[in-house]
Amino acid sequence: MSDEALHRALGLTDDEYALVEGVLARAPNHLELAMFAVMWSEHCSYKSSRLHLRRLPTSAPQVLVGPGENAGVIDAGDGVAIALRIESHNHPSAIEPYQGAATGVGGILRDIFTMGARPLAVMDPLFFGPPDDARARWLVEGVVSGISGYGNSVGVPTIGGELTFDEGYAQNPLVNVLCVGALPRERLVLGRASGEGNLAVLLGSRTGRDGIGGVSVLASAGLSGADGAAALDEQKRPSVQVGDPYEEKRLIEACLALLDEGLVVGIQDLGGAGLTCAASETAARGGVGMDVDVTAVPLREAGMAPWEVMTSESQERMLAIVRPEDLAAVEALCRRWEVRSAVVGRVTAPVLDTAGAPVGMLRVRAGLDGPVLAEAPAAALADEAPLYDRPRARPADLEARLADDPADEPAGDLAAEVLATLVDPAWVYRQYDSQLFLNTVVGPGRDASLLRLAGPGLPESERGFALTTDSNPRWCAIDPRAGTALTLLEAIANLACVGATPAAVVNCLNFGNPEHPEVMWQLSEAVDGLAEACRATGLPVIGGNVSLYNESAGRDIDPTPVLGVLGLLERLVAPPPGWTWRADDTIVLLGPREARPDPFPLAGSLFARRRGRTGGRLPQFDEQALSACRFVAGEVARACAGEATSVAAVHDVGAGGLASALAEMSAASGVGLAWGDPRGHAELFTEAPGRFVVATRDPAALVASATAAGVEVTTLGVAGGDRLVLGETCDLAVAALAERCASALPAALGL
Amino acid sequence: MSLVGVVVFPGSNCEHDVVRALGALGGRAELVWHAETDLSGVDAIVLPGGFAHGDYLRPGALARFSPVMGAVAAFAEAGGPVLGICNGFQVLTEAGLLPGALQKNRGLTFLCQPATLVVASTHSALTRAAHVGDELVVPINHFSGSYVCDDATYLSLVEHDQIVLRYRDNPNGSRGDIAGIANEAGNVVGLMPHPERALDTLLGSADGRVLLEGFLAAADDAAARADLVAAP
């Protein structure tokens, strides 16, 4: 194969190949070309999105580490820091669901303990096609068992996520994973090399041929899709890595022990682009060079070429930078945990380029002092991928879609509509250990998850933290800017239900093919929407991930920005109120009864989607709704601190609208409610965020305090009886609601 | 005060939780590495939950060969209190310290959920502080938790009052709704549910307290016996 053909096969364009020649001032050899191809892939370099991501606000007083490191880190108080990251593993999961999802979990855990933090919890937002066909079921069962099989064994609880079924994900499912960890503030470490003569020690699994080209072949190109073309995707299966949670568990314990004992000066995980990425990023961040002895890397199989060793994405590996005098102690500690360690390189001083500036060179050698097989500036590999301002175009049908408002849809059978919105994802989350570390106060299946801020090696504390992941592709398909902003509001409302004040945001931007101008427009709009909402709420974005080329057979997914939002509680000694109301509780709606510009917008709702309506006008981002969030968070936080509050139960209005929220609470309580006067079906099914159903035993006190806080209160009725009655045409037995919640998902999956 | 040793195999993951739970009940516990062969300093032993040695081959099959297990067997033989929780129960059956085996759940999925247990016998180091018929809500968290044994073993378990905990609503297909059993002497106990996860209503249930308090009392008794023997 000629060099020109080779660079294209590796995923580099002709222009990018010319840039590589410019950087090296010569033609690259095959090994160098392979290294540039993985490092300059979309997945590693963010070359299509970086220009836009710069517009996100990233600073706030609590931020210790912002975007660009392995994870974002904030100060949680009491000397404890929290590390947070979100990632996608979409294409691997589409091709090999068990291993794709499993290695997604493994990869993000390494990003967290690389910072010195013990991983405390994982969340998994999942998006599949409708579960009524065999392939979708194979994907659902494979992904869920992959998360369960890896996450449970590695010893990190999975505390929540999202489960979305929509036609748009039938060929290209999305498997995102968020991980949170905590560490004593002073132990924070960064992934950088320093100290000429220090050693680069590879820890963990041996290197094999699995996962070669994962970032370039797999993650940075579209899927072929259905029908005969699926066979092409089958051929990519060797690019999916294979995970070993037992290896990862020992690697976590060994690395945390190395950090505890101060035996490493820097540490970096090997993820996408493998050793090339870990070596070039640590060297580039430290402003130093590194020599890597490719013959010293422990191999899983014989006969691997240097380019395979340097780009393999074999899992469960870390690169530690170690002072020579500490090597024996590092090796002893690794032996205790049965973790393999091998010196594979050393830190070198930067050299001076022709202009006299210091440049850290990454050199791949055969033997530490042997012949040089490849040589390139570490920063050129890690940071100097081309930056693309790809063409953006508003979709041609945008105006028509915005004008196609579902307000004119007839109500239809309201009772059937309510039942259709009810799905308890318990079948999924029962397969996850959600309780390890004795921190989980509110686990999966509720508005947000709530945990004590505690764990092995952390100081005792009464603090708590909450996490939610949110997305709304129905909104974002109509208006990615407004939709993303509303998604943040929805996340803040979810956190409020468990009493948490939001503190930081991470985002996973799942979009289609960036070479399609409409997709780039969606991405740019979503970034602007998130930036605006973050500024309105004072929240920093501390990390993120961009997953592009989510397309199959030429069809892009709907824009799916997933937000992970972390909230904090000062004192967590009692559980929050939850969804359960009692007979004779007064049930109220807290927050603006009417949205703007339309009072009860159905655009982007499940109600509209189920009728094939995908247009209309979204509600505005509402300051009143934000006030309601703050009020509810304050009341619930009082309950969590063991103080009196007038809130006895709370649930925010989300997918399925007010009708669904009332039905879920009614089903959870086993107690009914009659609400006589909803203003038509639109009020029942609008999903404008930042509104809450609250049960109270002291309505006068609640009305007084809410009114004082400027929050609107609408009394819906008094709980009681065994039926949920909404207006004149919707009357459902509470038992039927509970039965539908429990059976919907197993029935849909044919179990 | 007695000291409980909590064994850590590579792949264990509930060891810190058990230490923390026993500490919250006023007990004293420390981690014991699986390569240890001398258990003379401890008064009771817990094999915690997790995936010892990755659960490779099958749960507990490799852990029974860890160096510490010889000492655990001798400790059990001498009447010392030994508690296996979840994976620890699996290890005890593989090691032959408890009869029967744990196979995959009836539904062939992992299950993490609360389970209502009924105390069937108080003749054990774990259930000695409870009452027969007590209902306790304690989480389960396992893939291979379905207890199986042959008819003779089952009849023997019944005859010798070795079935200590049963599920009220059998979640995994266990024979006789068995959630936990003891050896004939009652000093070695294994159960699939996690009592350390049910210590605080903040986390959903405090029903596990009576079990671990009983186990700590057994540890104290063992310590007192050891003092008696050591005394001239």
Side-chain angles (χ1 to χ4, degrees):
Chain A
M1 192 184 280
S2 73
D3 279 6
E4 284 78 2
L6 180 64
H7 74 249
R8 278 189 222 117
L10 291 171
L12 287 176
T13 66
D14 293 350
D15 289 343
E16 288 166 347
Y17 180 81
L19 275 174
V20 173
E21 283 189 321
V23 165
L24 299 178
R26 59 178 166 80
N29 63 33
H30 286 195
L31 174 57
E32 289 160 346
L33 200 54
M35 290 163 62
F36 273 99
V38 288
M39 290 304 294
W40 286 14
S41 67
E42 186 65 58
H43 185 82
C44 280
S45 73
Y46 296 87
K47 58 193 171 190
S48 298
S49 59
R50 260 190 302 164
L51 195 65
H52 301 288
L53 299 176
R54 290 173 180 169
R55 299 199 295 274
L56 293 171
T58 58
S59 58
Q62 69 272 28
V63 178
L64 299 176
V65 177
E69 285 281 348
N70 291 290
V73 182
I74 66 157
D75 186 348
D78 291 343
V80 175
I82 294 181
L84 188 65
R85 178 169 175 90
I86 192 167
E87 271 259 357
S88 61
H89 238 219
N90 301 338
H91 285 178
S93 303
I95 288 170
E96 168 39 54
Y98 185 98
Q99 292 297 345
T103 55
V105 175
I108 200 152
L109 297 180
R110 290 192 294 281
D111 286 322
I112 295 296
F113 70 78
T114 293
M115 309 298 293
R118 177 175 283 277
L120 287 182
V122 163
M123 293 180 99
D124 297 277
L126 308 176
F127 303 76
F128 299 102
D132 52 10
D133 79 69
R135 183 179 162 79
R137 290 176 183 177
W138 172 71
L139 288 170
V140 173
E141 292 183 24
V143 165
V144 170
S145 53
I147 293 167
S148 165
Y150 198 102
N152 298 349
S153 332
V154 81
V156 179
T158 300
I159 56 159
E162 279 189 280
L163 182 63
T164 300
F165 294 105
D166 192 279
E167 192 58 53
Y169 305 106
Q171 301 301 329
N172 195 126
L174 302 183
V175 176
N176 290 181
V177 54
L178 171 146
C179 184
V180 63
L183 66 156
R185 245 193 88 160
E186 69 276 4
R187 199 171 73 180
L188 184 62
V189 286
L190 300 174
R192 61 195 53 185
S194 61
E196 185 187 342
N198 281 343
L199 303 172
V201 182
L202 189 59
L203 310 176
S205 286
R206 289 184 295 182
T207 298
R209 286 197 171 98
D210 55 323
I212 288 175
V215 293
S216 48
V217 177
L218 201 52
S220 302
L223 294 167
S224 310
D227 311 327
L232 293 173
D233 296 332
E234 294 287 316
Q235 291 170 8
K236 294 180 180 171
R237 192 160 288 156
S239 291
V240 179
Q241 315 91 333
V242 177
D244 178 351
Y246 177 53
E247 183 77 40
E248 177 105 340
K249 169 69 176 167
R250 287 178 285 124
L251 193 58
I252 292 176
E253 300 300 335
C255 286
L256 291 177
L258 288 173
L259 292 166
D260 267 343
E261 299 190 12
L263 291 173
V264 298
V265 299
I267 193 163
Q268 170 79 33
D269 72 305
L270 275 72
L275 188 52
T276 300
C277 181
S280 62
E281 282 192 1
T282 48
R285 289 199 196 112
V288 294
M290 192 178 292
D291 281 0
V292 173
D293 174 8
V294 74
T295 65
V297 175
L299 299 180
R300 193 173 289 160
E301 52 196 307
M304 286 179 68
W307 73 270
E308 293 176 307
V309 177
M310 288 305 295
T311 63
S312 162
E313 295 181 10
S314 287
Q315 296 288 291
E316 291 94 25
R317 298 180 300 161
M318 300 286 286
L319 189 70
I321 309 300
V322 174
R323 287 177 293 266
E325 61 269 29
D326 291 333
L327 181 64
V330 168
E331 288 173 338
L333 203 151
C334 287
R335 266 196 305 278
R336 172 184 164 92
W337 283 103
E338 302 173 21
V339 166
R340 188 175 287 98
S341 66
V343 175
V344 299
R346 69 181 164 218
V347 177
T348 58
V351 297
L352 297 183
D353 69 8
T354 49
V359 179
M361 298 298 287
L362 176 64
R363 287 186 298 196
V364 181
R365 313 180 72 150
L368 208 44
D369 297 302
V372 174
L373 308 179
E375 183 170 24
L381 286 160
D383 304 324
E384 289 160 20
L387 197 56
Y388 292 134
D389 185 4
R390 295 194 186 273
R392 301 185 295 276
R394 290 163 67 96
D397 64 346
L398 182 65
E399 297 306 326
R401 266 195 291 131
L402 293 178
D404 177 33
D405 200 281
D408 58 4
E409 278 289 333
D413 181 346
L414 292 186
E417 187 63 31
V418 172
L419 288 176
T421 63
L422 297 179
V423 179
D424 181 349
W427 178 83
V428 172
Y429 65 70
R430 267 204 310 263
Q431 298 185 48
Y432 303 151
D433 179 351
S434 58
Q435 302 170 326
L436 190 70
F437 301 138
L438 311 183
N439 289 335
T440 309
V441 176
V442 178
R446 289 295 185 258
D447 298 290
S449 300
L450 176 64
L451 285 85
R452 301 200 287 190
L453 182 51
L458 293 178
E460 281 299 319
S461 154
E462 286 189 339
R463 288 178 189 267
F465 68 95
L467 277 170
T468 177
T469 60
D470 285 283
S471 65
N472 194 320
R474 299 186 307 277
W475 289 341
C476 293
I478 294 172
D479 181 343
R481 189 178 196 129
T484 308
L486 290 173
T487 302
L488 185 64
L489 183 53
E490 169 70 23
I492 292 170
N494 282 327
L495 292 178
C497 291
V498 295
T501 303
V505 178
V506 291
N507 63 87
C508 192
L509 303 176
N510 304 279
F511 286 78
N513 184 337
E515 294 155 38
H516 298 165
E518 291 80 6
V519 170
M520 278 314 294
W521 175 83
Q522 291 168 342
L523 178 71
S524 173
E525 288 287 296
V527 167
D528 283 332
L530 179 58
E532 287 163 9
C534 282
R535 272 190 286 274
T537 53
L539 284 172
V541 174
I542 61 167
N545 175 256
V546 180
S547 172
L548 301 177
Y549 297 96
N550 290 294
E551 60 169 347
S552 60
R555 184 183 160 186
D556 294 304
I557 61 161
D558 283 341
T560 312
V562 174
L563 305 183
V565 186
L566 172 75
L568 299 175
L569 280 89
E570 292 271 329
R571 188 153 188 259
L572 175 56
V573 296
W579 287 2
T580 311
W581 64 43
R582 295 194 312 212
D584 300 329
D585 284 356
T586 299
I587 311 302
V588 305
L589 178 72
L590 278 187
R593 182 168 186 180
E594 298 191 351
R596 280 172 297 188
D598 301 326
F600 306 116
L602 285 171
S605 65
L606 274 179
F607 177 91
R609 184 70 160 197
R610 283 167 37 77
R611 285 156 181 75
R613 301 291 293 269
T614 55
R617 262 195 305 188
L618 297 180
Q620 287 172 4
F621 188 96
D622 190 336
E623 286 294 333
Q624 298 291 320
L626 207 50
S627 300
C629 294
R630 292 197 187 100
F631 175 75
V632 169
E635 290 295 315
V636 176
R638 262 197 289 287
C640 291
E643 299 164 20
T645 163
S646 49
V647 172
V650 60
H651 183 12
D652 92 304
V653 175
L658 190 48
S660 186
L662 291 169
E664 285 172 335
M665 294 178 83
S666 193
S669 312
V671 177
L673 171 76
W675 176 26
D677 58 348
R679 294 175 187 162
H681 68 278
E683 177 162 28
L684 289 176
F685 296 108
T686 181
E687 297 175 11
R691 299 172 301 143
F692 301 85
V693 176
V694 169
T696 181
R697 276 144 222 168
D698 189 352
L702 183 65
V703 169
S705 54
T707 307
V711 174
E712 188 180 342
V713 186
T714 308
T715 300
L716 306 182
V718 174
D722 58 4
R723 303 197 73 82
L724 179 68
V725 181
L726 304 174
E728 289 173 1
T729 56
C730 179
D731 182 352
L732 283 154
V734 171
L737 299 173
E739 161 59 22
R740 160 72 200 186
C741 279
S743 66
L745 185 57
L749 289 170
L751 297 169
Chain B
M1 190 201 284
S2 63
L3 177 65
V4 180
V6 179
V7 175
V8 185
F9 301 95
S12 294
N13 59 29
C14 297
E15 69 274 21
H16 297 292
D17 293 359
V18 172
V19 169
R20 184 171 168 172
L22 294 174
L25 294 174
R28 203 158 60 94
E30 67 177 29
L31 301 178
V32 175
W33 185 240
H34 77 120
E36 187 60 63
T37 53
D38 176 8
L39 293 172
S40 59
V42 303
D43 305 297
I45 293 169
V46 178
L47 307 185
F51 295 75
H53 298 283
D55 271 3
Y56 288 143
L57 192 55
R58 62 179 182 271
L62 300 181
R64 64 171 285 212
F65 295 110
S66 268
V68 76
M69 288 308 294
V72 170
F75 187 88
E77 178 66 26
V82 176
L83 171 61
I85 301 170
C86 195
N87 192 227
F89 185 16
Q90 295 163 340
V91 174
L92 289 175
T93 59
E94 285 287 340
L97 294 174
L98 288 173
L102 284 311
Q103 66 176 14
K104 284 194 167 68
N105 295 342
R106 182 169 47 197
L108 296 182
T109 61
F110 192 96
L111 289 176
C112 176
Q113 62 190 42
T116 301
L117 312 180
V118 182
V119 177
S121 165
T122 56
H123 176 60
S124 83
L126 184 69
T127 51
R128 53 185 266 169
H131 299 91
V132 171
D134 281 356
E135 293 201 350
L136 309 174
V137 176
V138 180
I140 58 168
N141 187 68
H142 58 244
F143 201 129
S144 297
S146 180
Y147 184 81
V148 289
C149 62
D150 60 22
D151 292 346
T153 303
Y154 187 75
L155 290 173
S156 170
L157 287 173
V158 172
E159 186 184 347
H160 297 102
D161 200 18
Q162 288 173 249
I163 299 171
V164 297
L165 294 164
R166 294 186 197 264
Y167 298 109
R168 193 185 66 188
D169 309 299
N170 192 335
N172 56 21
S174 281
R175 178 160 194 181
D177 304 326
I178 285 176
I181 58 170
N183 63 351
E184 257 190 76
N187 64 310
V188 180
V189 192
L191 80 168
M192 289 312 297
H194 286 263
E196 82 278 12
R197 294 186 178 192
L199 236 56
D200 190 339
T201 51
L202 178 62
L203 304 181
S205 169
D207 291 355
R209 295 181 82 98
V210 68
L211 299 177
L212 292 185
E213 281 167 352
F215 186 71
L216 281 174
D220 286 343
D221 287 353
R225 274 201 309 278
D227 289 345
L228 213 57
V229 172

